[in-house]
Amino acid sequence: MAAEKSLFPERNSHHLSSTFSGPVLFLFLGIGIGYLITQVLLWPMIPFSYRPNRTVNITSKIDVDLYEEVRVLCFVYTKSSQHHLQATGVFRTWGKRCNKLVFMSDKEDTEMGAVSLPGNGNRIETWRKTKQALKYIYDFHLDEADWFLEADAETYVVMENLRHMLYPYSSAMPIYFGSPGIVMSRAALRRFVELSLPNPKLCEPTDTGATMGKLKECLEKVEVVAGNSRDFKGRRRMYLIDPQARSNSYRGQDGTFAWSNYAVSFHYVQARNMFYFDYMIYRLRPFGRELINESLPDKNRSSREA
């Protein structure tokens, strides 16, 4: 009985081995053949870059950074009593997107890049301040940018939209746009300082009075043309009011605001609101909403060059 018990398990093991060896062999053989087919035929065809996510590839067809192609120097008027508030709002928001930022003040501030101009704090002599600022930019920064933006510390500028507006034009064309935030080409700045400013018959020599009308006259007398700052739908892109203001003059016939989707500048913007605008423009995103398709405008080849 002892012998039978010792032989029975061995016989049973042999029986199981012979029973399962065939199917197991074919199973592993099938797995091997399947692996080879996958490696040779199917693997190169599988798009592993695909991800089943609706937000993937929801981007604009254009992804262009015009920072280097359309270089803009921004010079901003302020005063020392506003360095810590209003000027800081510019410095920490849209001003950092300029290729170069210079503050024109009544006192120097090396941390902010503010230079002192004589009589800059005098509100009456704004025309004098403008002439001094443009001459200073011409003397020290002419070759550092293609376009020169004049603004005050209550102006908010969407720099990407400004570059988009300027893109069709060569900085060798004597042209300007404005306001608020008057921007002129390098050729226009040259003509103003070299031709208009020294000649009292071409440019108002007195220092008092508002800037815009006098600057426009000085530029146009040396054949600097006023560019069209409206968008392709004829809507203004440079506004004299805060975008929060309720103004029926900017409403369409259907009652909606007829403001450009590519607005460039707004005026009378308090420092705290500049941070709000930065958040709303550059950080806030509605989930799942596709961006619109965009394209750059054609280059303007009809304008005269200097």
Side-chain angles (χ1 to χ4, degrees):
M1 293 294 293
E4 290 181 2
K5 289 182 178 180
S6 63
L7 291 174
F8 182 78
E10 183 179 9
R11 185 180 63 181
N12 188 50
S13 174
H14 176 72
H15 175 71
L16 292 174
S17 174
S18 62
T19 301
F20 289 100
S21 60
V24 170
L25 178 62
F26 284 111
L27 174 64
F28 281 105
L29 183 62
I31 292 173
I33 294 173
Y35 175 78
L36 290 175
I37 292 174
T38 301
Q39 292 291 317
V40 175
L41 298 178
L42 298 181
W43 189 273
M45 300 170 58
I46 299 176
F48 287 98
S49 60
Y50 172 77
R51 295 291 185 275
N53 188 327
R54 292 181 60 191
T55 61
V56 171
N57 293 329
I58 298 179
T59 58
S60 168
K61 288 186 177 180
I62 181 174
D63 184 14
V64 177
D65 184 358
L66 298 176
Y67 183 85
E68 293 298 337
E69 186 170 353
V70 185
R71 299 180 304 158
V72 182
L73 182 150
C74 308
F75 59 101
V76 180
Y77 301 118
T78 186
K79 53 185 178 180
S80 55
S81 61
Q82 291 293 322
H83 284 187
H84 69 289
L85 183 61
Q86 198 67 36
T88 297
V90 173
F91 183 76
R92 294 177 58 188
T93 58
W94 67 267
K96 63 187 179 184
R97 301 181 189 102
C98 304
N99 293 82
K100 187 174 184 62
L101 175 64
V102 179
F103 285 98
M104 302 293 178
S105 183
D106 55 327
K107 289 185 180 180
E108 290 187 8
D109 188 326
T110 55
E111 183 178 352
M112 292 181 55
V115 298
S116 176
L117 295 180
N120 193 54
N122 190 338
R123 286 183 173 270
I124 299 178
E125 297 183 352
T126 57
W127 176 226
R128 176 189 179 187
K129 176 175 62 177
T130 298
K131 291 186 291 183
Q132 289 178 335
L134 289 171
K135 182 65 166 57
Y136 176 88
I137 296 299
Y138 173 88
D139 289 339
F140 296 100
H141 302 290
L142 182 64
D143 296 327
E144 296 181 32
D146 308 303
W147 299 87
F148 301 88
L149 171 68
E150 178 195 47
D152 64 31
E154 290 187 345
T155 304
Y156 184 90
V157 183
V158 184
M159 291 300 298
E160 294 83 356
N161 290 351
L162 175 62
R163 291 188 174 97
H164 177 262
M165 183 181 77
L166 299 175
Y167 172 79
Y169 305 93
S170 167
S171 62
M173 299 175 184
I175 189 170
Y176 77 97
F177 303 85
S179 65
I182 302 168
V183 59
M184 64 180 69
S185 65
R186 186 190 297 118
L189 179 59
R190 282 185 180 277
R191 290 195 179 194
F192 174 78
V193 175
E194 296 174 1
L195 302 177
S196 185
L197 193 58
N199 190 337
K201 294 182 179 180
L202 298 177
C203 199
E204 175 61 54
T206 60
D207 293 333
T208 58
T211 292
M212 187 54 196
K214 294 181 179 181
L215 178 59
K216 178 180 178 181
E217 184 179 353
C218 294
L219 290 171
E220 293 183 352
K221 283 186 176 180
V222 290
E223 299 184 346
V224 176
V225 298
N228 181 11
S229 62
R230 294 179 181 268
D231 67 13
F232 69 98
K233 291 185 177 182
R235 298 173 299 187
R236 292 188 60 175
R237 286 186 282 196
M238 307 178 82
Y239 296 96
L240 288 167
I241 63 172
D242 185 318
Q244 296 184 90
R246 302 295 181 182
S247 174
N248 290 329
S249 62
Y250 291 102
R251 289 183 181 272
Q253 293 182 352
D254 60 354
T256 59
F257 282 106
W259 289 9
S260 174
N261 294 337
Y262 293 93
V264 168
S265 60
F266 299 95
H267 201 211
Y268 302 118
V269 180
Q270 297 301 309
R272 64 179 182 276
N273 289 337
M274 292 188 181
F275 294 98
Y276 296 158
F277 297 161
D278 250 38
Y279 170 75
M280 299 295 286
I281 295 172
Y282 296 99
R283 294 179 57 191
L284 182 63
R285 293 290 183 271
F287 177 78
R289 182 174 180 180
E290 294 188 16
L291 300 178
I292 62 174
N293 293 330
E294 298 176 311
S295 61
L296 286 172
D298 294 332
K299 288 286 189 179
N300 187 318
R301 304 188 185 281
S302 61
S303 298
R304 296 172 295 104
E305 297 194 0

